[in-house]
């Protein structure tokens, strides 16, 4: 039971889906960091400048208003006339601070009087009630508070424009006038808006610069990573001499050195294993080659003994039959080993010809006297360009295996599939109990025996393996499965391209190239390199392969015994 992914893993997986490339992630991270830093710096700068601008404008206006109140309203008589208040308000409004003034006092008749420098724009209604209450409130005088009245201010918005409203009462014996000022903060607002736009443009430029810097940094970081990926790809393709050029002492340089060290170790290990494999192949090939000459002589003797076994002593005849049988089995094993060696060495070639598949299957069955035991379902005229000898080897193994382990009748069907009918499909089905499920994955293994208690069989255990190799060099495949239902027989399906010319050309070029490299290294061609007898007995060119009958695999040998 697997553990559920953590929250962090889910977030990383989601981010990996949104940002699939490392370059994009670096650019996004750089941009986010730059944006955060720029916005933070711009915001702090804006609020600091805003506070400084407003405070400076506010203090200048309030100080000027206080001084103007002392100079103008403070010199008014106690019983003031409205005209005097109006003149004082006009004089106060003429200040360089450009504010409007409202003076409120009591006339000699005891009535209130409100005089404004501009009655159309500034009246008592424009003064907030809390501010009026604070200005009119008299405070007790003590050491901490030497004045009964103070100057108060408040920022307000009138018709969408910001204003500063201030108020104070002239200190003296009541009644004394009260003055209010109204100053527009629109110029400061415009200056702050210009500052905000400037900071916004600076933030955008910083973001663009950060993205360009991120792109440059990503290229600097990803270039060695890309070279490392390319080198890993070449190494995976088998180019073990791939190395990275190392410069610097940073982490990427250390990673490149580690890659070079791993590549050197891998190349040395692969060379060692290749040398061992080549040595093993040469040993098997040399052994098979050395056995052919004595086996030829022994086979000739056994043929004579087989012909004369009716004239032999009845006590000796069983031994002669055993010798004949085992000699044939040994001869077939040697031939199969040589065939396997050719596949392992990569020297097996295709000799292509245009064949009628139905005629080829019929010829294979007829040559082995299986006509009565095989049911053939194949239409004439299905043409394919294949190697006839290797197709015969495949068919002989599959049909012989079905007869040996499944019994007759064996059904063989031929059809074409795929785009433009370019794939040849041959099925061989028997009537036996089928193949055990644990054996199915191993039926094409070399020398595989389904039962360890019966390690010896009539065949060598190489037949199905050789059939599979013959299918592979055609670019095809053999699969095995059981027919549905209890007691269903085994079904072997061969799939081959109907035209193997391109594969044959590629394989010939590969073999010729490999032979050229071996000649440059001083190693003789073929699978007997180093024995000194290759040209005499061990050549495996196309003609010799075509003439060879395939040994036991042609007689229906099975590679994975059931």
């Amino acid at each position: 039971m697997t553990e559920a992914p953590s929250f962090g893993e889910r977030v990383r997986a989601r981010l990996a889906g949104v940002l699939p490339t490392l370059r994009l992630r670096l650019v996004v991270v750089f941009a986010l960091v730059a944006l955060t830093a720029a916005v933070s710096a711009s915001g702090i700068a804006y609020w600091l400048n805003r506070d400084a601008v407003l405070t400076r404008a506010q203090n200048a206006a309030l100080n000027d208003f206080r001084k103007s109140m002392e100079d103008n309203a403070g010199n008014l008589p106690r019983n003031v006339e409205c005209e005097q208040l109006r003149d004082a308000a006009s004089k106060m409004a003429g200040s360089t601070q450009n504010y409007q003034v409202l003076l409120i006092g009591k006339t000699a008749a005891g009535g209130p009087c409100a005089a404004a420098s501009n009655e159309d724009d500034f009246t008592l209604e424009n003064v907030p009630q809390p501010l009026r209450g604070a200005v009119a409130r008299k405070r007790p005088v003590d050491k901490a508070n030497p004045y009964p009245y103070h100057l108060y201010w408040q920022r307000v918005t009138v018709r969408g424009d910001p204003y500063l409203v201030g108020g104070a009462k002239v200190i003296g014996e009541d009644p004394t006038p009260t003055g209010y000022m109204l100053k527009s903060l629109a110029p400061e607002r415009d200056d702050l808006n210009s500052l905000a736009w400037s900071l916004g443009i600076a933030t955008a430029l910083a973001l663009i610069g950060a993205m360009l810097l991120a792109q440059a940094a990503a290229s600097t970081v990803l270039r060695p990573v890309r070279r490392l990926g390319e080198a890993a790809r070449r190494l995976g393709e088998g180019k073990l001499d791939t190395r990275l050029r190392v410069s610097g002492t940073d982490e990427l340089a250390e990673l490149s050195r580690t890659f070079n060290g791993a590549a050197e170790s891998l190349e040395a290990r692969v060379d060692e294993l290749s040398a061992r494999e080549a040595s093993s192949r040469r040993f098997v090939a040399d052994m098979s080659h050395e056995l052919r000459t004595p086996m030829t002589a022994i086979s000739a003797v056994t043929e004579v003994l087989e012909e004369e076994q009716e004239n032999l002593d009845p006590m000796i005849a069983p031994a002669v039959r055993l010798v004949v049988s085992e000699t044939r089995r040994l001869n077939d094993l040697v031939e199969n080993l040589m065939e396997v060696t050719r596949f392992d060495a990569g020297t097996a070639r295709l000799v292509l010809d245009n064949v009628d598949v139905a005629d080829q299957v019929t010829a294979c069955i007829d040559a082995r006297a299986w006509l009565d035991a095989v049911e053939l379902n194949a239409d004439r005229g299905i043409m394919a360009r294949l190697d006839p000898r290797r197709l015969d080897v495949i068919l002989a193994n599959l049909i012989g295996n079905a007869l040996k382990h499944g019994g007759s009748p064996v059904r063989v069907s031929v059809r074409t599939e795929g785009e433009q009918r370019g794939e040849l499909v041959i099925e061989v089905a028997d009537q036996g109990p089928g193949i055990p499920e644990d054996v199915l994955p191993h039926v094409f293994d070399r020398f595989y025996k389904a039962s360890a208690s019966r390690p010896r069989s009539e065949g060598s255990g190489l037949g199905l393996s050789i059939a599979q190799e013959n299918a592979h060099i055609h670019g095809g495949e053999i699969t095995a499965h059981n027919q549905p239902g209890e007691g269903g027989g085994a079904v072997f399906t061969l799939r081959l391209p109907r035209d193997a010319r391109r594969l044959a050309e590629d394989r010939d070029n590969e073999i010729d190239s490999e032979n050229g490299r071996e000649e440059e290294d001083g190693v003789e061609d073929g699978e007997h390199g180093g024995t000194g007898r290759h040209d005499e007995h061990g050549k495996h060119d196309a003609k010799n392969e075509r003439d060879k009958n395939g040994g036991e695999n042609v007689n229906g040998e099975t590679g994975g015994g059931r």
Side-chain angles (χ1 to χ4, degrees), residues 90-108:
S90 298
K91 290 181 180 179
M92 293 175 63
S95 170
T96 57
Q97 292 298 319
N98 194 25
Y99 52 74
Q100 300 180 38
V101 177
L102 174 66
L103 292 178
I104 300 174
K106 286 186 179 181
T107 63

Side-chain angles (χ1 to χ4, degrees), residues 202-239:
T203 300
L205 293 177
L207 180 61
I208 295 173
M211 295 181 67
L212 294 177
L213 181 62
Q215 182 72 15
S219 299
T220 303
V221 173
L222 295 180
R223 189 179 298 112
V225 174
R226 190 181 301 110
R227 287 199 299 263
L228 181 61
E230 180 65 20
R233 185 187 62 80
R234 292 198 303 269
L235 194 67
E237 292 175 352
K239 300 175 182 178

